[in-house]
Structure formats: C-alpha cells, structure tokens
Amino acid sequence: MARAVGDLLAEFDAELEEEVVIPPSWNVAPTADVPILLERLVDGESSARRVRQLHLARWGLVPSWAKDPGIGSKMINARSESVLEKPAFRKATRTRRCAVPADGYYEWKGEGRGKQPYYVHPKDGSPVVFAGLYEWWKDPSKAEGDPERWLLSTSILTTDSPPEGYAGGMLAELTALHDRVPLPMDRETMAMWLDPRADDAAGLVGLVRAGAHDVAEGWTIDAVGTAVGNVKKDSPELIQPVGSLF
C-alpha cells in the first residue's frame, strides 16, 4: 500500500482512534505492519453508532491464546472454506472482522529459477479491499500501561477456486495463476462485513465468496521483474510491467 493516511481516511470514510504512520510500501512482507479498516459501536446521545476506524496491524494473525507472536507468520491467510472451524479464526470471524486495503498483490508462477512474479491490481488504479480478520494479543512479558503490551494483528481470507458455475473471467485466470486467491469486496459488501452488529458469520463469509468474481472482473495481471522477491527492495519500479500474462 502506497497511499497516505489522509487519502485512506477520505477514500473509506474512516477516522483515527490515534495517530498512525503508514510508510509507503510496494513490497509488503508477512509480519510487516499493514493498514486495516474496522468498525466499532460508540455510544451516542440517543443510541450507539457505527464508527469506521483505520488502524495498523501486523500481517499474520496472533490468536489471543498464543504463547508468543511467532505463530503469526503462519497465519497471514485464513481459508474461507474452513475459517469457522479453525480455533485460531473462529471467534474473530464472528466478532472481529476487518478489511485490508491494498493497491494490489503479487503472485508467482513456475518453478525454480523460471518462476515469474505477477502483479494483480485494479485496472483503474483504485484500491482493493480484502476481507480480513483481526485479533488483539497481550504480551505477558510487558508491564501494565506499556503501550506495546497489546499487539494488533490481521489475516486475509482466501478461496481455492471460483464459485460453482463460474467457469471464466478474471477470477478463473487468477486461480490458474495460483490455487489460492485473496477475497476482495466491493464497498457494499465491505460495509456488511465490517458491521459489528452482524451475527451471521457463515452468511457473511458466503456473501464475500459469492461476490469476489464480480470485483475481480475489474482487475488486470502484469508480469513484473524478479526484484520483488527480495524483501529489501521496495520502490515503485517493482510494479512496472515487463511482459504479458503467462
């Protein structure tokens, strides 16, 4: 994500609970901090109101019961097909849903030295939002009142194939590129996914899965240079096309 905080707040009609700094990045790696959008109910004069907030979270969900945050490196993604069955994701799917904004994402195809990276992104340059989950983990080694005692982390939902009966289009191309696809949302679906009052977790997961193909139709896939495989490389040149798809 290479957009300024102010641009994200305006784009998604969100606010800040506390000031955050989001350095631009064209090569986000697991366990790095990424922006997330979540909603909370805040008491008003007459009734509670939904407030959408922008936060920074570590990419790689750390369950509240984890002994240490290292487990997060294995939890960057959550399979939407089984997310309500897994102890690490089950409760978060019911009560701590978020959206992860991004400019696009990288995927690789091939084997060994012949592996080719591709950059997947919306054709019109608008940001995409992936369905995500978030969790808070308390570090038992830090004292009460230490601002670093609580770790906010996130995971992105994925799917393994296009929905049943959907044989073509961009989502089919994406699954030909890789057997897992991060689940994008349009703004209407995002609003329902983030609603803290919604209690039909299974229905929401199904809603996101069913709508993914429509969102993906607005995407394109560009072959890019292999420099993206080096996490130390981080510049706009990484997303410049170098060839055609496959």
Side-chain angles (χ1 to χ4, degrees):
M1 171 58 70
R3 299 172 192 264
V5 170
D7 293 337
L8 288 172
L9 296 177
E11 179 76 29
F12 296 104
D13 192 24
E15 60 186 51
L16 295 175
E17 185 176 53
E18 58 184 35
E19 290 300 316
V20 298
V21 176
I22 306 177
S25 179
W26 294 266
N27 198 6
V28 178
T31 73
D33 287 340
V34 296
I36 66 169
L37 298 158
L38 56 87
E39 290 189 358
R40 289 174 170 166
L41 292 177
V42 177
D43 290 336
E45 293 183 1
S46 57
S47 61
R49 63 185 180 91
R50 290 167 58 182
V51 175
R52 184 172 297 171
Q53 298 176 338
L54 177 70
H55 290 263
L56 271 185
R58 176 192 261 188
W59 185 23
L61 188 136
V62 180
S64 60
W65 43 259
K67 294 181 178 180
D68 63 74
I71 192 175
S73 62
K74 301 177 181 178
M75 305 243 184
I76 60 172
N77 295 325
R79 290 175 174 259
S80 59
E81 304 93 325
S82 58
V83 72
L84 282 167
E85 302 168 10
K86 302 298 183 181
F89 302 121
R90 186 168 50 221
K91 189 172 182 180
T93 309
R94 295 192 179 105
T95 61
R96 286 181 288 279
R97 298 177 298 273
C98 68
V100 183
D103 294 312
Y105 71 97
Y106 298 108
E107 200 54 84
W108 293 73
K109 188 175 180 65
E111 300 293 337
R113 294 185 177 182
K115 290 185 69 174
Q116 170 64 52
Y118 293 90
Y119 178 52
V120 183
H121 62 99
K123 296 175 185 177
D124 61 5
S126 62
V128 62
V129 283
F130 298 117
L133 309 171
Y134 71 93
E135 267 291 3
W136 289 98
W137 179 76
K138 183 169 67 173
D139 188 340
S141 69
K142 298 187 182 299
E144 291 283 355
D146 187 331
E148 296 185 358
R149 191 178 196 198
W150 288 95
L151 172 67
L152 178 62
S153 61
T154 189
S155 183
I156 295 173
L157 266 64
T158 65
T159 188
D160 64 345
S161 64
E164 185 177 355
Y166 187 76
M170 178 54 66
L171 200 63
E173 290 188 29
L174 291 174
T175 52
L177 178 62
H178 193 275
D179 61 356
R180 302 298 302 179
V181 179
L183 283 173
M185 302 181 288
D186 60 24
R187 301 307 170 85
E188 182 179 355
T189 300
M190 182 184 75
M192 291 186 279
W193 177 256
L194 295 182
D195 189 347
R197 299 168 300 187
D199 57 6
D200 181 8
L204 288 171
V205 172
L207 178 70
V208 173
R209 285 172 55 86
H213 58 91
D214 289 331
V215 179
E217 285 309 305
W219 292 2
T220 189
I221 306 173
D222 296 324
V224 295
T226 56
V228 70
N230 183 347
V231 296
K232 295 181 180 179
K233 303 287 187 180
D234 195 356
S235 69
E237 287 73 27
L238 295 179
I239 63 174
Q240 294 303 310
V242 298
S244 59
L245 175 62
F246 309 158

